[in-house]
Amino acid sequence: MLKFKRFMGGSWGQRALLIIIIFVIMAIGERKFFTSANWSSILLAIAIYGIMACGMLFVVLIGGMDLSIGSMAALSGSLLAMNWFNSGYTTAGFAKGLLLGLIAGLVVGLLHGVLVAYLNLPFFVVTLATQYLIYGFVVYITQGGFYYPARQTGFDPFAFMGNAKFLGLAMPVWFFIIVALITGFILMKTTYGRRLYAVGGSNRAAELVGIHTRRHTIIAYIICSLCAAFAGMILVSLNMVAGCTTAKGYEGTVLLAMMVGGINLAGGEGDIFGAVFGALFVGILDNMQILLGIPSDYNKTIQGVIILIAVALNVYQSRKAAGIISPGKARRLAAKAAKEEAAAAGK
Amino acid sequence: MANDNHVLLECKGIMKQFNGIQVLKNVDLEVRSGEVHALMGENGAGKSTIIKIITGVYTRDGGEIYMDGKMVNIQTRQDSREAGISVIYQELSLLPALTVTENIYLGQEIKGKFGLPDWKAMRKATKELIDRYNFDIDPDAIVETLGMAKRQMVEILKALAVKAKLIIMDEPTASLAATEAETLFNTIDFLRSKGAAILYISHRLDEVYRLSDRLTVMRNGENVGVLEKEEIEPRRVIEMMIGHKLKNTDDYVRKPVNDANILEVKDLHYKNMLKGISFTAHGGEILGIGGLVGSGRTELISCIYGALKQDSGTITYNGQPTSHHILANMKKGFGLVPEDRRQEGFIPLLSIQQNFALASYDQIAPHGVVSSKKEIELAERGIKDYDVRPPMRNLPVGNLSGGNQQKVVLGRWLARHPNVLLLDEPTAGVDVGVRADLYQYMRELADEGHIVIMVSSDLAELMSVSDRILVIHDGVFFEEFMHENVTQEAILLAGSGVHTEEGRALC
């Protein structure tokens, strides 16, 4: 019951309103929005963003950020497609690609974690640097080209990941549901997840109750990179193409999902519901832009405006909660108090 | 001009109240030119408030301020600066990336052609100032590269550059090492010889004896007397600060200690703060640790807890050396209630329930998966046992009052019945009603045979709560007091390095 209240009450009310407004615009603008074909494409976008958002949630909760997830997805996706293609479409080649993709995620996450937690480098710099580094590496291994694996007759594990359906839902959606459930379980029920909130809320206080803040940080970055790697492999399977432009710029969209989902980018605040909601929002937003025929040149503009609105709403709310008033209001109050004082002195 | 000793600053009948509480009651304060005038008093005596009124941070409710015999109406910081008053705060206000010259003239640049800052002129003026006062500072040095003592000199130069007549120093040695402090004292002596007036606020008696020509003592928002240099004597100053000899008068019954539970610290060294601390704490007693702020008390209990690593020396609990990992010590039953509750004690965004759970995951989540039932039980029991208000386990701790926040922080440990509970200023910012509760919880824990060690700057608390008090001075334990014969005066004297009759000398 409490969870339901938390979902509907407070800032959630505003977010629900936002979704409704979008729906209305869509309904007026484009009849196709409510068709089932359109919804399956929305759900696929949501699934990819959603899996990445689940990973990012861990890092954001401890007060960090990972800007390299787009490149990470391109790397793992390319590794999978390359191995599948180069092996002549054998299951062994597919398995090797899958394994290499996940190992790449593990290594990158470990690198982030060590640089941030042990060398105390700023996460922003570290993950921006690896974003370029990994991108460059993908260009190198793909020689700047793209892999278009052909559909195989019979069981095609590569196409299965992105295109098969189960109980009417596409596999990526199922993967997202599973990742979200696991994320929710870790964050709500395990000591590791609970302690992440403490680390993000106050690193020093967390240390003083015996939490290994560095270890928690490293694991969070590993989970984030692994999620990005997994999402990247699903994405190339979905599109049947892999290369350096795979998932390019997705980190921005995923961060937007975080902000819209009410996840505090300063750490310590946010939950799986916020990440799922954020993914829903950015997925629908993508679709809206396509359906309404908004030229893709404006995509970034719209995302930028939404980021500003989301941040302004968050800041406004936290100020209101903290009882901070605007400078103008403070001046008016001070003037009023001075007037009253003068009147009292006059008597 | 120098040493003419006319009255420079005169405050008459200064009044100030906050929320209906009169914090300054008719305070007179007089500083003469060419003197170092010390202002002393316990925490909350009103020292800072009067300084803030003189410097225009607060506006006074009543009274008059004169500079050089002329009445000045100080309402803002600007008024105060224009009257010739400069303050050097505990936290220095320099910009580390700028040079000495840039810092000194920041916001008051000498303008040259086209209104652009004339750095040459400023550098020359700085050089002249440094030469005149014989400071050992390079005007082009980047402030970041200077030590704390030099930075303080830059602050002083900043005051001199605007031709301040009165320099107020608020606990200037708080962040200085002993040798650096000596440099500062020499600077102060030199400034005095040049005719500058200095109002020196400190609670370190030794510094005050070393420096001051006259001394004003405040107590409960009143000026309780001015002493001339020859009248300044430790016991007398402390008597004036405290007012009357306070002794424990309750019908105290000393209980036997539990020798099966022993914490032993031997020859502990940490940086230049702890220089060979040795003591033994027994189960069943509340051991108080007194001493001045910054005397290394916090570092001592941090070393015991494992939050800091000592340079040398051993800490053993029941014969076993303690770990340098907090978690390992927690498993042995150690707990710490840190000084800075907001930064170190609790996680403001997390609920009461989650804050209680933080230290006890080993009990409520045996295999890494939290049992909601046990977690809720733990929180409900904690809220009930330690009377946390409001009793809502899902409320973020950041929204509670200071006292209730502390109940959560303390309760989190008490729920584990810790063998060794370390408390650092446990009642700072906690209202009187809640304090009594906290003391009772501490006593109950000690009565169970556990070790309770409490660091406190609140003398009344230290005296009434502790069975035994160790007072730190200059990095070692200086005197030991027993509950039955301790006085506030004696604790203060021992903390300043003066042996007393009440205590037992430890060095």
Side-chain angles (χ1 to χ4, degrees), chain B residues 54-57 59 73-81:
Chain B
I54 297 171
T55 53
V57 178
T59 50
N73 184 16
I74 295 176
Q75 296 287 346
T76 65
R77 289 166 207 243
Q78 189 61 29
D79 294 341
S80 172
R81 269 195 294 271

Side-chain angles (χ1 to χ4, degrees), chain B residues 8 49 53 84 104 216 230 239 250 276 316 333 372 390 485 495-496 500:
Chain B
L8 179 70
T49 312
I53 284 173
I104 288 174
T216 296
E230 52 279 8
E239 270 173 23
D250 50 352
T316 51
S372 293
N485 50 16
S496 308
T500 63

Side-chain angles (χ1 to χ4, degrees), chain B residues 66-362:
Chain B
Y66 299 86
M67 277 296 277
D68 279 327
K70 278 190 292 263
M71 186 153 95
V72 284
N73 184 16
I74 295 176
Q75 296 287 346
T76 65
R77 289 166 207 243
Q78 189 61 29
D79 294 341
S80 172
R81 269 195 294 271
E82 278 164 15
I85 299 167
S86 277
V87 209
I88 291 156
Y89 286 108
Q90 291 176 28
E91 290 94 26
L92 304 180
S93 57
L94 301 174
L95 298 181
L98 300 185
T99 67
V100 170
T101 305
E102 285 164 343
N103 260 294
I104 288 174
Y105 284 97
L106 189 71
Q108 50 195 27
E109 289 88 355
I110 300 174
K111 297 274 166 67
K113 275 180 211 163
F114 315 118
L116 294 171
D118 184 351
W119 290 111
K120 251 187 196 162
M122 284 186 257
R123 193 184 173 284
K124 197 167 150 245
T126 307
K127 189 89 184 77
E128 277 169 18
L129 207 57
I130 290 172
D131 290 344
R132 178 154 20 114
Y133 287 96
N134 219 1
F135 282 4
D136 175 26
I137 285 183
D138 174 4
D140 300 321
I142 306 285
V143 164
E144 209 166 24
T145 64
L146 302 175
M148 285 310 286
K150 291 247 168 115
R151 289 189 198 194
Q152 223 149 24
M153 283 185 185
V154 179
E155 285 272 3
I156 295 169
L157 282 173
K158 216 171 150 178
L160 295 170
V162 293
K163 302 192 172 59
K165 295 177 206 158
L166 174 67
I167 299 176
I168 300 174
M169 297 188 183
D170 190 358
E171 300 282 356
T173 55
S175 49
L176 298 184
T179 52
E180 291 181 317
E182 198 49 45
T183 317
L184 175 74
F185 299 155
N186 291 334
T187 309
I188 291 173
D189 285 339
F190 189 74
L191 290 173
R192 166 167 47 196
S193 74
K194 292 271 178 183
I198 289 161
L199 183 57
Y200 191 92
I201 298 126
S202 176
H203 52 225
R204 294 182 194 220
L205 286 165
D206 44 347
E207 288 174 10
V208 170
Y209 307 139
R210 154 86 174 73
L211 289 170
S212 53
D213 300 301
R214 291 195 307 150
L215 184 153
T216 296
V217 181
M218 288 185 72
R219 186 176 72 231
N220 293 333
E222 285 175 278
N223 179 342
V224 289
V226 180
L227 298 177
E228 297 292 332
K229 188 166 186 75
E230 52 279 8
E231 295 172 316
I232 300 175
E233 193 265 321
R235 199 163 274 270
R236 183 160 177 189
V237 173
I238 282 171
E239 270 173 23
M240 285 171 76
M241 278 166 61
I242 297 169
H244 52 96
K245 279 197 180 186
L246 258 180
K247 271 192 114 164
N248 280 323
T249 49
D250 50 352
D251 37 358
Y252 172 78
V253 183
R254 179 167 290 276
K255 291 178 188 142
V257 295
N258 170 10
D259 274 327
N261 209 4
I262 283 181
L263 180 81
E264 205 169 8
V265 172
K266 265 192 193 147
D267 200 28
L268 197 72
H269 286 259
Y270 179 75
K271 296 209 167 144
N272 52 13
M273 307 204 71
L274 306 177
K275 305 167 183 169
I277 291 262
S278 299
F279 73 98
T280 307
H282 306 269
E285 70 171 352
I286 297 180
L287 176 64
I289 296 182
L292 297 176
V293 172
S295 59
R297 300 172 305 176
T298 299
E299 287 73 11
L300 172 62
I301 58 170
S302 298
C303 285
I304 297 174
Y305 187 58
L308 287 178
K309 191 170 184 290
Q310 71 264 30
D311 298 330
S312 67
T314 56
I315 305 165
T316 51
Y317 173 64
N318 289 343
Q320 302 258 322
T322 59
S323 168
H324 296 306
H325 295 289
I326 292 169
L327 199 61
N329 288 331
M330 272 171 65
K331 282 185 183 144
K332 280 187 194 155
F334 282 53
L336 172 75
V337 176
E339 181 180 10
D340 188 344
R341 184 162 58 233
R342 205 154 245 291
Q343 298 294 326
E344 308 189 322
F346 61 90
I347 319 275
L349 289 171
L350 294 188
S351 63
I352 295 177
Q353 176 177 323
Q354 284 168 311
N355 268 288
F356 263 117
L358 270 181
S360 294
Y361 277 130
D362 52 346

